[in-house]
Amino acid sequence: MLLRIAVPRKTTKLTALATAVALAIAPMAARAEEEKGLPILRDTETEQLLRDYTRPILRAAGLEKQNIQVTIINQAVFNAFVADGRRIFVNHGALLQSETPNQIIGVLAHETGHLAGGHLARLREQLAQAQTQMIIAMILGVGAIAAGAKSNYGNNGLTNAGAAALAGPQNMIMRSLLSYQRQQEESADRAGVKFLTATGQSAKGMYETFKRFTNDSLFAAHGADPYYQSHPMPAERVAALEEIARTSPYWDKKDDPALQLRHDMMRAKISAFMERQDTVYRRYPLSSETLPARYAHAIATYLHGDLRNALAQIDGLIQVQPNNPYFYELRGQALIEGGRPAEAVAPLRKAVQLSNGAPLIEMLLGQALVAADNKAYAEEAISILRNAVSREPEAPIGYMQLAMAYGRKGDLAEADLASAQAAFLRGDNKTARDLASRAKTRFAVGTPGWVKADDIVAAKPLPGQKNNSKFADPNDSEPKTFLRTGPARNSP
Ligand SMILES: [Zn+2]
């Protein structure tokens, strides 16, 4: 499953009453609306791989206890950054453009160097409380301004959007967030090389990536690349990096072939979901029979709406790797999207089992159980979804599905509460408060559900969230959803 969760600039209005039943149809409403949001990508396969990439680095940096998360942003340009001391952000473009695990691990090691060096200490307090999507909105607002200033397209809408974001009180935070001092860059380079060496990995990939930013005429021509903007790379810095990197005994060490295959599968998936179909088939020609190429073809076929062929291709993948949970997940997702949710239940159960209960896949199973419209599934859907949201509390989709499951069951109190939690996670505090207030009237006073609803009603806007029209329009009392699930269609 590759989910694109959008925080919209343009809100999707539901004309129906603010009921859980109305929210149940919301994802379709959101999909019909071509939103230009600020998206986060959620995908178990990619996130698991990134965890495997970062875990040893974080341990070497002494940060293994900090519960640092990697968040993938749906942007095709190369970028990676740390914001608040507990989150590393990476654009899907950086994953796609990194040809080896070592290249992206090098970038992650450099960013970990910024974390370990406390280069953002002043900002941590302010940002530690902010929701992930809020941080992204702020960053991208300022990213747009940085891009506009350096490009020849100073008057385009992107720049204006950035200017609007900068007019707010986040100005100072953002300005300092996006730029490092030269000595911080060099210190992050040195720290990154140290972490790589301590974990028996080469810093060649980091060097290759950074050298590309100094050499590559494509980057130079655009000049607006966010990574280049935030991480200045004068030639002497890259030369210094090369010098220390070459002293490592692991300089010539190659990536493990099994890890390279997982990396290639991730890139194939991102390409197939995020890029135009002609681009996908150019990267992965139909004549290619490699597993990543076949993965890309199967995804592209299903996104193109050819379910029968897609299922045949997915079955072919399952024959090659019968214990790969993500092939069953893809089969389930294709069936749900193809309007056959009852048939999606079996492959998704298998995917949950093979992934040791990955919460995002459990949410997809919950979605299939709810959509299958079978009363026998209602209780099971609720139990699976409750379990999933307890371990994955930042994914609004889990609460959306939970609201629908409770709605099916006729439990309107729990349905309202789950809808309120989903709205809260989207940063839509107004809708969250409204739904939570109504949930309170449906629970007995003092029950756990009432207390949770009361917490949402009483929640203060998070720092930077006040007056932020991107997230809630104070004049708009209708519930809205920004959730977008399923195939992340290719952008024009
Ligand atoms: Zn840096």
Side-chain angles (χ1 to χ4, degrees):
M1 174 170 62
L2 200 138
L3 285 180
R4 191 156 77 161
I5 297 170
V7 179
R9 291 157 198 268
K10 183 172 63 176
T11 59
T12 305
K13 285 184 193 170
L14 289 182
T15 48
L17 290 173
T19 64
V21 180
L23 278 166
I25 60 159
M28 265 155 51
R31 197 177 302 168
E33 194 111 348
E34 262 311 312
E35 290 180 277
K36 299 276 181 279
L38 304 171
I40 300 170
L41 287 184
R42 297 301 314 267
D43 176 60
T44 305
E45 181 176 18
T46 307
E47 291 172 9
Q48 186 58 48
L49 185 59
L50 289 176
R51 265 196 296 276
D52 291 345
Y53 287 168
T54 47
R55 194 181 301 114
I57 299 291
L58 292 171
R59 197 180 303 132
L63 295 169
E64 75 271 35
K65 299 241 168 69
Q66 315 287 311
N67 189 28
I68 288 163
Q69 294 169 5
V70 183
T71 298
I72 306 150
I73 298 180
N74 179 20
Q75 288 210 319
V77 290
F78 194 107
N79 203 7
F81 55 89
V82 293
D84 64 340
R86 72 178 181 92
R87 276 172 284 226
I88 299 174
F89 293 89
V90 58
N91 281 9
H92 80 70
L95 304 177
L96 202 52
Q97 289 172 41
S98 297
E99 290 174 355
T100 63
N102 188 243
Q103 286 181 356
I104 194 68
I105 290 171
V107 171
L108 295 167
H110 172 91
E111 294 306 319
T112 303
H114 282 307
L115 275 180
H119 297 161
L120 299 163
R122 269 187 316 134
L123 297 169
R124 278 188 197 171
E125 293 246 330
Q126 288 143 298
L127 287 177
Q129 302 304 315
Q131 284 171 297
T132 300
Q133 292 174 358
M134 175 68 52
I135 293 175
I136 290 169
M138 294 194 293
I139 304 268
L140 294 190
V142 170
I145 247 233
K150 277 270 182 157
S151 76
N152 296 322
Y153 308 102
N155 295 322
N156 67 9
L158 203 64
T159 308
N160 293 337
L166 261 190
Q170 301 137 354
N171 184 347
M172 294 292 283
I173 300 178
M174 289 307 104
R175 223 186 268 267
S176 38
L177 193 61
L178 272 189
S179 58
Y180 292 105
Q181 292 159 12
R182 169 90 182 266
Q183 80 237 33
Q184 291 179 326
E185 286 302 343
E186 286 165 358
S187 123
D189 286 344
R190 278 194 304 275
V193 174
K194 196 176 84 184
F195 305 149
L196 289 164
T197 304
T199 51
Q201 303 183 81
S202 171
K204 195 188 260 177
M206 190 206 287
Y207 163 71
E208 285 167 350
T209 300
F210 289 178
K211 189 169 172 53
R212 197 158 67 95
F213 281 94
T214 56
N215 281 354
D216 200 318
S217 60
L218 187 71
F219 287 114
H222 284 89
D225 188 276
Y227 199 71
Y228 184 82
Q229 292 287 318
S230 57
H231 298 70
M233 303 214 197
E236 54 272 34
R237 178 185 151 205
V238 177
L241 170 61
E242 182 180 10
E243 201 178 311
I244 53 166
R246 277 184 185 278
T247 63
S248 159
Y250 306 109
W251 169 256
D252 281 318
K253 191 174 170 186
K254 292 271 177 295
D255 285 301
D256 174 58
L259 195 66
Q260 181 72 53
L261 178 60
R262 286 177 68 195
H263 187 80
D264 292 340
M265 293 296 276
M266 171 192 71
R267 292 173 76 212
K269 182 186 232 175
I270 290 174
S271 170
F273 270 105
M274 308 311 302
E275 298 195 294
R276 296 168 59 98
Q277 200 157 45
D278 55 345
T279 309
V280 176
Y281 283 103
R282 198 165 58 243
R283 281 186 200 272
Y284 303 98
L286 273 170
S287 56
S288 174
E289 299 258 321
T290 66
L291 201 63
R294 291 173 63 188
Y295 199 23
H297 298 160
I299 294 167
T301 305
Y302 125 68
L303 288 177
H304 195 248
D306 186 352
L307 183 59
R308 208 170 63 90
N309 267 322
L311 292 177
Q313 292 178 32
I314 295 166
D315 288 343
L317 293 169
I318 290 174
Q319 276 187 354
V320 180
Q321 289 190 345
N323 292 318
N324 186 328
Y326 311 116
F327 294 159
Y328 296 95
E329 182 191 26
L330 181 61
R331 195 172 209 287
Q333 183 173 9
L335 284 162
I336 290 177
E337 307 261 333
R340 290 157 61 178
E343 292 169 69
V345 171
L348 288 173
R349 285 194 202 282
K350 183 87 175 165
V352 166
Q353 178 218 326
L354 288 172
S355 67
N356 292 317
L360 292 175
I361 302 179
E362 286 187 332
M363 289 175 193
L364 198 60
L365 173 58
Q367 185 178 351
L369 291 168
V370 171
D373 202 15
N374 179 341
K375 276 225 155 66
Y377 286 153
E379 286 298 337
E380 187 192 359
I382 288 170
S383 128
I384 285 172
L385 287 164
R386 289 202 74 92
N387 184 34
V389 298
S390 71
R391 288 175 299 134
E392 182 60 63
E394 277 202 24
I397 184 183
Y399 286 104
M400 289 295 302
Q401 295 301 325
L402 196 53
M404 288 183 228
Y406 279 123
R408 281 275 151 85
K409 204 183 140 198
D411 188 338
L412 296 182
E414 289 286 359
D416 273 349
L417 175 59
S419 297
Q421 283 164 317
F424 186 75
L425 287 176
R426 294 191 305 263
D428 182 356
N429 284 356
K430 167 97 176 68
T431 303
R433 265 198 310 276
D434 290 350
L435 288 166
S437 299
R438 200 173 61 189
K440 275 177 74 179
T441 67
R442 292 179 161 157
F443 283 111
V445 176
T447 56
W450 185 92
V451 171
K452 276 186 204 156
D454 191 53
D455 284 346
I456 294 175
V457 172
K460 293 208 168 55
L462 297 163
Q465 199 158 2
K466 272 180 275 183
N467 309 322
N468 192 331
S469 59
K470 277 200 192 89
F471 291 88
D473 178 349
N475 300 316
D476 184 352
S477 60
E478 290 188 355
K480 32 192 173 289
T481 180
F482 315 132
L483 181 76
R484 187 184 163 112
T485 67
R489 296 283 173 193
N490 301 333
S491 315

